[in-house]
Amino acid sequence: MSAQVLGSTSFERPRWLRILEPLGPLAAAFALAALVLFAAGHNPIDVYTLLAVEAFGSSRRIAATLSAATPLILTGLATAVAFRAGAFNVGVEGCIFVGGLAAATVGFTFVGLPAALLLPLALVAAVLVGSLWMLVPGLLKARLDVDEVVTTLMLNFIAISLTAWLVNGPLLAPGSANSATPMIADAARLPKLMPPSTLNAGFLIAIALLGLYALWGNRTALGFETRLAGMNARFAAASGINVPMLVIKMMLLSGAIGGLAGGIHALGNVGRFVAGFSPGYGFTGIAVALLGRGSALGIFLAALLFGALANAGATIQFFSDVPIEIVDILQGTVMVFAVAQLGWIFVRRRASA
Amino acid sequence: MAITAATSALVSALGTTSALAQDKPVALIISQSGLGDQSYNDLAYEGFKRGLEATGLEGRPVESRDVVAQAAEILRRASDADFGLVIDLEYSHGEPMLEVAKDYPDTNYVILNQVREAPNVASVLFQEQEGSYLAGMLAALVTTDTSIKGITPEPIIGVIGGTKSAGIDKFIAGYVEGAKAANPDVVVKVAYSNNFADPAIGLQMTKAMFEEGVDIVYQVAGGTGMGVIQAAKEAGRYAIGVDTDQDGLAPGNVLTSMIKRTDVAVETLIKDYAAGNFPRGETTTFGLAEDGVGLSEMLHTKDLIPAEYLEKVEAAKQDILSGKIKVWNVVEQGYPDYLK
């Protein structure tokens, strides 16, 4: 009965197919990039081997890849949570900026506090600020049916400009020639997991949240209701679910995770808020959520892929003449193929509306 | 095993098996704006290529789309991969470099525009105040000469800084000092855009200055400064460029540019490294004397400016070189009275 009611084909397809499905776009992306590499005079097999070695070739390289994947797991998760309730939140990028600045500000302001107090305080600040950042688009979407794609996208620009202004003015580190806050106190630092790598406890937080997300989505009433509301809002409302409230809750949750992504990035890796804090983790997170099909394992693997590309894409330049643009093309092609799925989601949304 | 073999094969392909430290290859870490920025990175890369060619060393530029977060990972990878000299153009890499440098005592590092104290790190500073002094002097001489197109009789000039910080005020103080030296009655309007990447802000602020009677605006604001130059072009007045030769961006409306020769610094350090006298643990300053800063050739404006002004500027340059004039350095000396 449920498969019919939900109006989705995904339940009818065998599990193995659902797992293998994203591999098609990946293979296509790598094949296309191989052609570009070949045309540019590189041997694609050598380049891919080098990429694999730089991404996973030693424990140190794996740690670097996991470190690069950490913000992407969180932004992918933040996006997926909103997707699930039928809200297409593209404002996670802004949440990273405001959350990151909030955590850094707590981290360099209350320097006297012990780690047991300061670290949670800084993370909570990031979560709260990120969550609040999504309050208005959540309300507008739930109450007035204002398109969240527009509001959250616009909020990104505001977040980026607002943090840029703060970090150039009131929060600027004394004596710094570029836009950066002071370094956070050591007590505010997330512990490193495999020193000297930048891989830190933020990765464990991200993995734990992925686990909770899997449990929540599959085992709890709220998780089921959210999924229902995302698939067919009218049916969910008819079954007595308060859909607008659900959308607000999920937007706040999405913002909270986005803010946390920024907080963890500030406290675990960068150690401050600085110009160039996020190179677009929030946007890559959309691709991560789509490529991962909204499943916990899928999000992890997609984040791992983009993390590996970001990490190895930089360091292969020490050993080859492959410019960063080739990695951009590879990453971009994977995104295009992943986002091809987006059309499918919109078609489904329209069909159910 | 195969993986380790592949890595070591790649490393040896770079010719890094040699025993001498200064024969090991050189890495250039590109900053946020990336190669192709027609500014800081491209200029440094030119110097990098010249340095490699002159010394016969191997070397590679490395770009990352996530250069801020990957600081320590990239610096460590370069050090692990047996690069002997790592030149880092990214400003935010100062702290991570100290952390990495202590783990690789045999590797040499270079950081620009800041001082980082470690036995194997060389810091590079530019005497931007010296070049700015000359720019201020030229602006003050020109601003009252109404025979020049677009110049108003009032002795008012302007400067827009990207942010209120010692690093930027170092330029501004030099500019004001040079202007006052040429004409004690000159008024210098100082403003900050609090943004290095928004030409629209630069455009608006510059237009507002023009309305107050300013006819020449020096920009020390990165991408925001593109708006300053645009405003000068639109209003038929003058901008002064910074960092690279920006005279060609609006030919005839950019009076001159205060060039920071990052290329000279990079090239010099590579040559020093190859020759075995790399300034480990030292701060090297590049000023007028080292050809590290200076005014552009003024290809498009030289014919507009009366020769006597250019001669005065040249004389001031000689006085700075001979030590007769010592231009105020905000970073070392704090703020002067005229710029509190």
Side-chain angles (χ1 to χ4, degrees):
Chain A
M1 173 215 152
S2 66
Q4 253 180 340
V5 170
L6 293 172
S8 160
T9 52
S10 66
F11 283 89
E12 289 153 17
R13 276 171 301 168
R15 190 178 165 77
W16 62 268
L17 187 61
R18 277 193 287 136
I19 291 170
L20 287 182
E21 217 173 29
L23 296 182
L26 281 189
F30 276 86
L32 199 66
L35 283 178
V36 175
L37 277 169
F38 187 73
H42 300 282
N43 180 339
I45 297 171
D46 288 352
V47 174
Y48 286 161
T49 309
L50 187 54
L51 269 175
V53 169
E54 281 301 303
F56 302 107
S58 67
S59 59
R60 200 170 261 199
R61 298 315 300 152
I62 293 172
T65 292
L66 294 179
S67 177
T70 301
L72 303 177
I73 296 175
L74 289 163
T75 55
L77 184 58
T79 312
V81 160
F83 271 179
R84 222 181 151 88
F88 193 58
N89 181 9
V90 294
V92 175
E93 180 73 5
C95 297
I96 293 181
F97 277 82
V98 293
L101 184 60
T105 306
V106 171
F108 74 74
T109 308
F110 304 102
V111 287
L113 293 178
L117 220 60
L118 185 58
L119 191 50
L121 198 65
L123 287 176
V124 166
V127 167
L128 280 181
V129 171
S131 187
L132 282 176
W133 197 251
M134 283 298 111
L135 180 64
V136 171
L139 282 174
L140 286 174
K141 157 92 176 158
R143 300 290 172 211
L144 301 172
D145 204 24
V146 176
D147 194 336
E148 74 281 9
V149 177
V150 177
T151 53
T152 54
L153 189 66
M154 291 301 138
L155 271 179
N156 284 336
F157 297 114
I158 299 178
I160 292 165
S161 303
L162 178 71
T163 51
W165 175 74
L166 285 170
V167 86
N168 259 318
L171 301 178
L172 182 70
S176 174
N178 84 332
S179 321
T181 67
M183 294 301 284
I184 59 169
D186 282 344
R189 282 220 170 244
L190 282 161
K192 286 184 174 180
L193 298 181
M194 288 175 60
S197 165
T198 52
L199 182 65
N200 60 81
F203 174 70
L204 298 182
I205 299 177
I207 293 297
L209 285 177
L210 270 185
L212 284 176
Y213 169 73
L215 283 177
W216 168 82
N218 298 325
R219 303 276 155 88
T220 67
L222 183 65
F224 180 70
E225 284 177 9
T226 309
R227 188 184 194 123
L228 217 54
M231 284 175 171
N232 191 330
R234 281 173 68 193
F235 174 77
S239 353
I241 296 170
N242 184 347
V243 175
M245 199 59 212
L246 209 59
V247 167
I248 294 176
K249 273 187 199 161
M250 288 306 112
M251 285 295 281
L252 291 181
L253 184 60
S254 176
I257 299 170
L260 183 67
I264 284 175
H265 196 54
L267 307 176
N269 187 336
V270 183
R272 56 163 45 158
F273 185 92
V274 59
F277 183 70
S278 167
Y281 296 132
F283 298 118
T284 310
I286 298 172
V288 167
L290 290 170
L291 195 64
R293 298 296 159 88
S295 85
L297 181 65
I299 291 170
F300 175 75
L301 292 176
L304 196 64
L305 171 69
F306 285 115
L309 283 176
N311 171 39
T315 59
I316 60 166
Q317 296 167 70
F318 286 125
F319 312 104
S320 72
D321 290 325
V322 177
I324 189 84
E325 283 78 11
I326 293 285
V327 180
D328 288 345
I329 289 170
L330 191 53
Q331 199 169 357
T333 340
V334 173
M335 281 188 190
V336 167
F337 282 105
V339 175
Q341 292 295 313
L342 193 64
W344 173 74
I345 288 175
F346 270 114
V347 166
R348 200 182 56 176
R349 261 177 84 176
R350 218 158 284 154
S352 68
Chain B
M1 260 327 278
I3 283 160
T4 335
T7 312
S8 61
L10 286 158
V11 170
S12 62
L14 279 167
T16 56
T17 42
S18 165
L20 271 172
Q22 60 261 37
D23 289 344
K24 291 182 179 178
V26 189
L28 181 74
I29 304 190
I30 306 296
S31 85
Q32 281 178 47
S33 44
L35 284 177
D37 64 353
Q38 300 189 320
S39 178
Y40 178 61
N41 287 313
D42 281 359
L43 197 59
Y45 185 48
E46 286 306 313
F48 182 71
K49 286 190 289 195
R50 287 204 303 269
L52 294 183
E53 202 170 321
T55 58
L57 287 171
E58 294 266 354
R60 294 189 191 282
V62 171
E63 282 186 272
S64 165
R65 291 291 176 247
D66 194 2
V67 71
V68 173
Q70 291 182 341
E73 300 287 2
I74 291 175
L75 288 168
R76 251 176 230 289
R77 191 70 193 115
S79 315
D80 281 338
D82 216 21
F83 280 81
L85 175 64
V86 181
I87 303 170
D88 200 330
L89 302 175
E90 169 61 33
Y91 191 86
S92 70
H93 283 193
E95 284 89 359
M97 178 178 281
L98 285 184
E99 184 196 313
V100 172
K102 70 174 172 355
D103 293 346
Y104 300 90
D106 296 333
T107 308
N108 301 295
Y109 301 88
V110 176
I111 190 86
L112 278 81
N113 297 314
Q114 56 190 303
V115 175
R116 294 290 165 186
E117 288 182 12
N120 50 339
V121 173
S123 307
V124 172
L125 291 180
F126 292 90
Q127 305 283 22
E128 294 100 343
Q129 75 280 5
E130 295 180 352
S132 299
Y133 181 97
L134 302 182
M137 176 165 263
L138 181 65
L141 291 168
V142 167
T143 189
T144 48
D145 190 338
T146 49
S147 71
I148 301 170
K149 188 166 60 83
I151 294 295
T152 56
E154 299 86 6
I156 314 176
I157 58 173
V159 54
I160 293 177
T163 184
K164 172 83 186 155
S165 70
I168 295 299
D169 286 332
K170 189 183 182 188
F171 292 76
I172 296 179
Y175 179 72
V176 176
E177 189 179 342
K180 298 276 186 194
N183 177 1
D185 298 329
V186 83
V187 174
V188 185
K189 299 229 179 234
V190 181
Y192 299 93
S193 59
N194 284 333
N195 193 315
F196 281 95
D198 191 347
I201 295 179
L203 185 82
Q204 279 172 10
M205 292 179 70
T206 309
K207 282 187 169 169
M209 277 193 173
F210 286 159
E211 278 165 23
E212 292 173 42
V214 172
D215 39 26
I216 303 165
V217 178
Y218 180 28
Q219 72 98 352
V220 195
T224 299
M226 295 300 129
V228 176
I229 292 169
Q230 180 65 27
K233 190 180 172 186
E234 285 177 15
R237 294 195 186 178
Y238 296 93
I240 296 177
V242 79
D243 291 347
T244 53
D245 187 345
Q246 299 181 322
D247 294 10
L249 293 179
N253 291 106
V254 180
L255 193 64
T256 183
S257 295
M258 203 295 283
I259 308 181
K260 250 172 93 168
R261 300 295 303 270
T262 313
D263 55 335
V264 171
V266 170
E267 183 183 357
T268 306
L269 283 162
I270 292 175
K271 286 179 177 166
D272 287 351
Y273 162 77
N277 49 20
F278 179 75
R280 283 172 75 95
E282 291 171 26
T283 299
T284 311
T285 48
F286 288 84
L288 282 177
E290 295 79 16
D291 197 22
V293 297
L295 296 185
S296 64
E297 288 177 49
M298 300 180 234
L299 280 181
H300 309 283
T301 48
K302 180 162 76 209
D303 299 333
L304 297 173
I305 306 167
E308 55 168 316
Y309 299 163
L310 295 175
E311 281 158 18
K312 280 186 184 171
V313 172
E314 182 56 32
K317 180 181 172 182
Q318 295 308 322
D319 285 347
I320 293 172
L321 289 177
S322 70
K324 205 167 138 195
I325 298 174
K326 174 91 177 74
V327 185
W328 191 277
N329 184 336
V330 171
V331 172
E332 285 172 9
Q333 299 170 272
Y335 280 82
D337 292 335
Y338 52 84
L339 196 75
K340 285 279 182 192

